[in-house]
């Protein structure tokens, strides 16, 4: 293959993209030489997962596809987050269908076409092939082997040729392109009123008779299934304890001197190159460029000088803020293992100054970095951080000791006021603020001033008799020593006990049944956009505004819908939607205070480009519909079989720490 491609002339202009990647998780089908011989290793197993019109999809195919994703994203995302084995298998089946259709229709790619696509992906700025060594290094690093990568490119070229064949006659009428431009580029200043149960509920008045009837019909809805406890506890505020502690510089210096060497660094200087992916279909092209630049940066050995990397960055990086400065970041990057989503943390897996990282994808761009010098941290740099850390540790220890003493004294006296007075000075608190009491609470509930705390629940769980004192426990902001004041067993409560909840639930239910009526009343009473706010206030609703609004954008928390877009687009300045708009289970009334129509002169300038984009989008949809219908036909004819028992035996994937932004991808 490489011999052929080295002889090719640059006579073609078609940019071959990795079409399967555009479609989502269906990356590619990789071909392993040993796929027809079953072995114990999943990567070489010929065991059949699925049959597609006579072609087998094996365990090895799926395993190698998954390994490619792991290699590419470096463990930043678990395969389960991408849909798991079933979704990867669907992608492999899709690729088999594409290849079969390409062969059936006589548009399967030739070796020369595949070689040309590879050369285009691995050419330098002058258009010349980067050379076999750089090509091999980049491909093996990111795809495992040359064979796998070339099989991927063959599949992508087949998909692109089949797409071109199937969609050759697809066009989009000019009037449709113009209409889409108008809808996309017309903006509005809006005033809108969400009609929601919570707003209407406050205006719902129910008599005691109605509330009691509501309660009697739904008594079991208010059943208390677990015991409730009212707790009094003595609170030791850790922050107030710490605020009176004095930390001499000698202790801080000793703390600094005892820091591990890696904790005495202020971070590392960093240079970066950013390559933006303007559209999903350009992903493979941009990734190939990143691979080429990384190979170039690594071509002189394990490290590259700061200035050599700066030259590459100035000519290629698409981040203006750093490119003009040779890719240098203005501040050192500090190690933070608690933030795995921070793409800059990847530099710390490379230990030597001058090393160049792999490419990482986030926020629609590929990033790679050069690790610079380590910045040493001085005592003065670290002083405030050390002071906060040491004070917190000391405050925790002092507060814990005070809480332990409080527990002993309370068990002896059960006198909260006396114990609070006794310890108030050391706690740096006023005695009354140290004694707190909860309402009746049960496990899983948020407790005032405590929150949802498993530790607090564990501390009060053994308290079953009035006056029982628990052990000290850590809670939000400090420590607590609890005592049981009263206990109520599981039961259906009396109406008066849960009246507030009954009122709230009854109002919301009544308001929900009145939503559409209220929305229609609002639309009828607002004769203009200027009147809408006042009309909303009369119904207890709140008007909101959105400036320079464009169709398909969400209206705050209400969201949007095709119906909302149509209604808003038809509004002239000053008008209100004559009927309310339903979005999901919500209603909204919208008025336009200003309308700015699309600039049709600008449309004239962009007409050709917009038409091409519309045709491309329509062709994508036609092609996907074609592949989908082909699959349905094959399934209906019994020509696609998936062996669920084999799929179920596939090894489970290890979870990733956290997904990078923009994942999982969507698509078929």
């Amino acid at each position: 293959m490489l011999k052929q491609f080295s002889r090719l002339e640059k006579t073609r202009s078609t940019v071959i993209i990795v079409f399967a990647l555009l479609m989502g998780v269906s990356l590619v089908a990789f071909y392993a030489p040993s796929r027809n011989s079953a072995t114990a290793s999943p990567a070489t197993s010929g065991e059949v997962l699925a049959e597609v019109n006579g072609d087998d999809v094996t365990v090895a195919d799926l395993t190698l596809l998954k390994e490619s994703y792991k290699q590419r994203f470096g463990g930043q995302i678990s395969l389960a987050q991408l849909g798991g084995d079933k979704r990867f298998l669907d992608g492999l089946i899709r690729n088999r269908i594409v290849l079969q259709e390409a062969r059936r229709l006589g548009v399967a790619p030739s070796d020369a076409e595949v070689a040309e696509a590879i050369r285009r992906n691995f050419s330098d700025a002058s258009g010349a092939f980067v050379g076999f060594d750089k090509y091999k290094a980049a491909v093996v690093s990111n795809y495992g082997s040359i064979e796998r990568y070339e099989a991927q490119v063959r599949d992508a070229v087949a998909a692109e040729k089949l797409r071109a064949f199937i969609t050759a006659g697809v066009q989009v009428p000019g009037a449709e392109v113009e209409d889409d431009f108008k809808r996309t580029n017309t903006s509005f200043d809006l005033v809108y009123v969400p009609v929601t149960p919570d707003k209407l509920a406050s205006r719902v008045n129910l008599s005691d008779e109605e509330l009691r009837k509501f309660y009697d019909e739904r008594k079991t809805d208010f059943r208390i299934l677990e015991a409730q406890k009212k707790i009094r506890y003595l609170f030791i505020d850790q922050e107030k304890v710490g605020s009176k502690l004095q930390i001499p510089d000698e202790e801080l210096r000793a703390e600094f001197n005892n820091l591990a060497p890696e904790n005495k660094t202020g971070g590392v200087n960093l240079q970066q190159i950013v390559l933006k992916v303007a559209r999903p279909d350009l992903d493979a092209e941009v990734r190939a460029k990143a691979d080429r630049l990384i190979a170039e940066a690594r071509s002189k050995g394990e490290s590259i000088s700061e200035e050599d990397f700066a030259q590459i960055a100035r000519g290629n990086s698409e981040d203006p803020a750093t490119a003009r400065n040779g890719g240098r970041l203005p501040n050192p990057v500090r190690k933070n293992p608690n933030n795995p989503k921070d793409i800059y943390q990847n530099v710390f897996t490379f230990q030597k100054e001058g090393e160049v990282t792999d490419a990482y994808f986030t926020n629609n761009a590929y990033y790679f970095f050069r690790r610079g010098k380590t910045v040493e941290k001085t005592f003065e740099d670290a002083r405030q951080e050390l002071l906060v850390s040491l004070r917190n540790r000391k405050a925790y220890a002092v507060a814990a000791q005070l809480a332990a003493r409080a527990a002993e004294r309370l068990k002896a006296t059960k006198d909260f006021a006396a114990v609070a007075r006794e310890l108030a000075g050391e706690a740096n608190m006023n005695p009354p603020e140290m004694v707190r009491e909860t309402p009746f609470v049960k496990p899983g509930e948020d407790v005032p001033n405590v929150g949802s705390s498993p530790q607090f629940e564990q501390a009060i769980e053994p308290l079953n008799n009035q006056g029982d004192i628990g052990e000290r426990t850590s809670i939000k902001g400090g420590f607590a020593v609890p005592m049981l004041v009263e206990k109520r067993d599981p039961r259906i409560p009396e109406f008066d006990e849960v009246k507030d909840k009954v009122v709230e639930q009854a109002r919301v239910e009544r308001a929900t049944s009145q939503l559409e009526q209220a929305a229609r009343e609002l639309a009828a009473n607002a004769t203009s956009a200027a009147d809408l706010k006042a009309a909303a206030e009369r119904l207890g609703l709140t008007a909101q505004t959105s400036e320079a609004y464009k169709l398909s954008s969400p209206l705050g928390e209400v969201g949007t819908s095709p119906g909302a877009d149509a209604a808003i687009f038809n509004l002239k300045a000053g008008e209100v939607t004559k009927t309310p708009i339903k979005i999901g289970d919500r209603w909204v009334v919208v008025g336009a205070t200003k309308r700015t129509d699309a600039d049709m002169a600008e449309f004239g300038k962009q007409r050709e480009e917009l038409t091409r984009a519309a045709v491309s989008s329509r062709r994508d949809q036609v092609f996907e519909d074609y592949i989908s219908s082909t699959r349905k036909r094959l399934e209906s004819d019994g020509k696609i079989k998936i062996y669920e028992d084999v799929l179920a035996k596939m090894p489970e994937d290890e979870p990733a720490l956290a997904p990078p932004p923009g994942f999982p991808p969507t698509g078929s």
Side-chain angles (χ1 to χ4, degrees):
M1 175 66 72
L2 289 174
K3 289 181 181 178
Q4 284 184 316
F5 117 165
S6 65
R7 296 197 299 268
L8 287 175
E9 298 297 327
K10 295 187 297 177
T11 58
R12 301 177 185 269
S13 60
T14 304
V15 176
I16 306 299
I17 61 171
V18 183
F19 192 84
L21 186 59
L22 170 67
M23 292 302 118
V25 297
S26 298
L27 180 63
V28 285
F30 296 123
Y31 298 93
S34 58
R35 60 181 289 178
N36 293 322
S37 59
T39 70
S41 170
T44 57
S45 172
E47 188 171 13
V48 177
L49 273 171
E51 295 177 11
V52 184
N53 198 22
D55 285 348
D56 291 342
V57 177
T58 67
V59 169
D61 294 328
L62 182 57
T63 301
L64 292 172
L65 174 60
K66 290 161 61 178
E67 286 301 319
S68 176
Y69 262 95
K70 289 178 182 177
Q71 228 173 355
R72 182 171 185 186
F73 297 112
Q76 292 176 305
I77 185 168
S78 72
L79 301 185
Q81 289 170 312
L82 296 177
D85 289 342
K86 184 63 169 67
R87 195 168 180 188
F88 278 90
L89 179 58
D90 283 342
L92 290 169
I93 291 171
R94 179 189 185 281
N95 284 344
R96 291 291 194 277
I97 294 171
V98 168
L99 288 171
Q100 291 172 0
E101 287 297 291
R103 288 195 296 265
R104 185 179 70 83
L105 296 172
V107 292
S110 65
D111 287 348
E113 288 173 316
V114 175
E116 181 182 358
I118 293 172
R119 186 178 65 179
R120 295 183 72 88
N121 283 341
F122 285 90
S123 59
D124 59 22
S126 68
F129 177 51
V130 296
F132 179 77
D133 290 340
K134 289 184 179 180
Y135 166 73
K136 180 180 178 181
V139 166
V140 172
S141 172
N142 291 289
Y143 301 95
S145 72
I146 290 176
E147 291 77 13
R148 289 189 206 172
Y149 175 70
E150 291 185 356
Q152 167 181 330
V153 175
R154 183 176 295 278
D155 291 354
V157 175
E160 186 63 14
K161 290 188 68 178
L162 179 63
R163 175 185 179 275
F165 181 83
I166 296 299
T167 64
V170 173
Q171 296 296 326
V172 178
E176 188 175 326
V177 177
E178 182 176 338
D179 182 63
D180 184 67
F181 178 85
K182 290 178 181 178
R183 295 174 65 84
T184 302
N185 292 279
T186 298
S187 64
F188 303 83
D189 287 354
L190 300 179
V191 56
Y192 64 96
V193 182
V195 183
T196 57
D198 58 316
K199 293 293 185 182
L200 293 179
S202 62
R203 297 175 64 86
V204 173
N205 294 315
L206 298 167
S207 66
D208 278 352
E209 182 180 350
E210 289 175 308
L211 291 171
R212 285 188 177 277
K213 183 175 184 294
F214 183 88
Y215 169 76
D216 288 339
E217 291 173 348
R218 299 166 178 79
K219 278 186 178 181
T220 55
D221 291 351
F222 299 95
R223 181 192 296 273
I224 298 171
L225 300 174
E226 299 177 82
Q228 293 176 300
K229 296 178 180 180
K230 178 182 286 189
I231 301 295
R232 182 176 301 136
Y233 63 96
L234 191 112
F235 176 60
I236 305 294
D237 189 318
Q238 181 179 327
E239 184 178 352
K240 290 189 176 181
V241 169
S243 66
K244 65 180 293 186
L245 296 177
Q246 299 299 315
I247 312 292
D249 268 8
E250 291 77 8
E251 286 191 52
L252 293 175
R253 287 190 179 277
E255 189 84 0
F256 179 75
N257 292 334
N258 289 330
L259 288 175
E262 61 268 22
N263 293 328
K264 286 186 178 180
T265 64
V268 296
N269 289 325
L270 210 62
Q271 290 169 274
Q272 71 176 15
I273 291 177
V274 182
L275 303 176
K276 297 179 180 179
V277 181
R279 304 191 311 271
D281 59 297
L282 297 177
D283 179 275
E285 184 178 330
V286 177
R287 176 59 195 251
K289 181 178 180 179
D291 291 339
R292 293 198 303 272
L293 294 177
I294 291 170
E296 178 183 345
R298 292 173 174 173
S299 63
K300 297 181 180 179
E302 292 186 357
S303 62
I304 183 174
S305 71
E306 182 176 352
E307 187 50 41
D308 284 348
F309 190 89
Q311 290 296 332
I312 300 174
R314 291 189 187 103
N316 294 280
S317 183
E318 297 173 3
D319 176 34
T322 57
R324 68 173 68 97
N325 194 32
R328 298 175 183 90
L329 268 65
N331 299 306
V333 174
R334 299 182 63 180
K335 192 171 186 177
N336 183 4
N338 295 321
N339 187 15
K341 293 184 180 181
D342 178 10
I343 198 169
Y344 295 106
Q345 295 299 308
N346 290 290
V347 75
F348 294 103
T349 62
F350 294 77
Q351 300 301 319
K352 295 180 181 178
E353 181 181 341
E355 279 192 286
V356 175
T357 72
D358 299 325
Y360 304 99
F361 183 83
T362 186
N363 295 331
N364 296 319
Y366 283 98
Y367 290 70
F368 62 94
F369 311 104
R370 175 191 177 272
R371 178 170 176 145
K373 290 183 179 179
T374 299
V375 179
E376 296 298 327
K377 185 189 296 183
T378 67
F379 170 72
E380 289 304 322
D381 292 333
R383 188 180 187 283
Q384 185 59 35
E385 184 179 340
L386 292 170
L387 179 61
V388 171
S389 175
L390 190 55
R391 176 169 283 150
N392 282 342
R393 295 207 310 272
K394 284 179 170 286
Y396 182 91
V398 173
Q401 291 173 356
L402 280 175
R405 285 169 53 196
E408 292 178 4
R409 297 291 296 130
L410 287 170
K411 288 176 182 178
T413 67
K414 299 189 186 299
D415 190 335
F416 273 71
V419 175
R421 288 194 299 271
E422 184 180 326
L423 300 179
E426 294 177 75
N428 196 28
M429 299 174 70
N430 296 320
E433 68 178 331
M434 297 176 69
V435 181
R436 295 178 174 179
E437 194 166 292
T438 75
F440 282 98
V441 295
K442 61 180 184 292
E445 284 188 332
D446 272 0
V447 180
N449 297 315
V450 175
S452 180
S453 170
Q455 295 94 333
F456 189 75
E457 289 181 11
Q458 186 177 359
I460 69 174
E461 193 274 333
L463 308 183
N464 291 305
N465 299 306
Q466 188 175 17
D468 282 354
I469 301 290
E471 301 299 329
R472 73 173 184 193
T473 184
S474 175
I475 64 169
K476 181 173 64 178
F479 290 87
V481 181
M483 181 186 78
L484 179 64
V485 176
E486 187 179 347
K487 180 181 177 181
R488 292 177 176 173
D489 291 326
R491 68 205 182 283
I492 293 179
E494 295 298 324
F495 170 78
D496 289 337
E497 187 179 341
V498 290
K499 183 176 180 180
D500 288 345
K501 291 183 178 180
V502 173
V503 170
E504 179 182 356
Q505 189 170 321
R507 282 178 168 177
V508 169
E509 188 170 310
R510 178 71 63 84
T512 300
S513 69
Q514 298 173 350
L515 283 184
E516 183 176 359
Q517 177 186 340
R520 291 187 180 280
E521 181 181 342
L522 175 62
N525 290 338
T527 57
S528 69
D531 294 338
L532 186 55
K533 182 178 179 180
E537 289 175 350
R538 288 194 294 271
L539 291 173
L541 300 170
T542 302
Q544 300 178 39
T545 59
S546 179
E547 295 183 357
Y549 173 88
K550 290 190 175 181
L551 300 185
S552 298
S553 304
L555 285 168
E557 295 182 358
V558 180
T560 189
S561 70
D565 281 351
I568 293 170
F569 185 69
N570 289 326
L571 289 176
K572 297 177 182 177
E575 290 184 342
V576 176
T577 51
K578 293 182 172 60
T579 57
I581 304 165
K582 190 173 186 182
I583 301 177
D585 58 354
R586 303 184 180 192
W587 292 87
V588 63
V589 178
V590 183
T593 56
K594 180 182 177 182
R595 174 182 176 125
T596 304
D597 287 311
D599 182 354
M600 298 312 293
E602 187 64 28
F603 172 72
K605 299 175 185 177
Q606 299 181 30
R607 183 190 301 271
E608 290 186 8
E609 180 182 348
L610 292 171
T611 301
R612 283 196 300 270
V615 170
S616 178
S617 178
R618 182 70 55 82
R619 287 177 176 174
D620 286 345
Q621 185 59 56
V622 168
F623 182 63
E624 284 309 304
D625 289 345
Y626 175 83
I627 298 301
S628 177
S629 64
T630 302
R631 175 168 181 166
K632 288 179 181 177
R633 174 174 54 78
L634 292 173
E635 288 174 335
S636 177
D637 294 343
K639 294 182 178 180
I640 294 180
K641 297 179 182 179
I642 297 175
Y643 297 99
E644 299 288 351
D645 57 331
V646 179
L647 186 64
K649 292 188 295 184
M650 292 290 294
E652 292 187 8
D653 301 310
E654 294 183 3
L657 290 176
F663 283 92
T666 58
S668 60

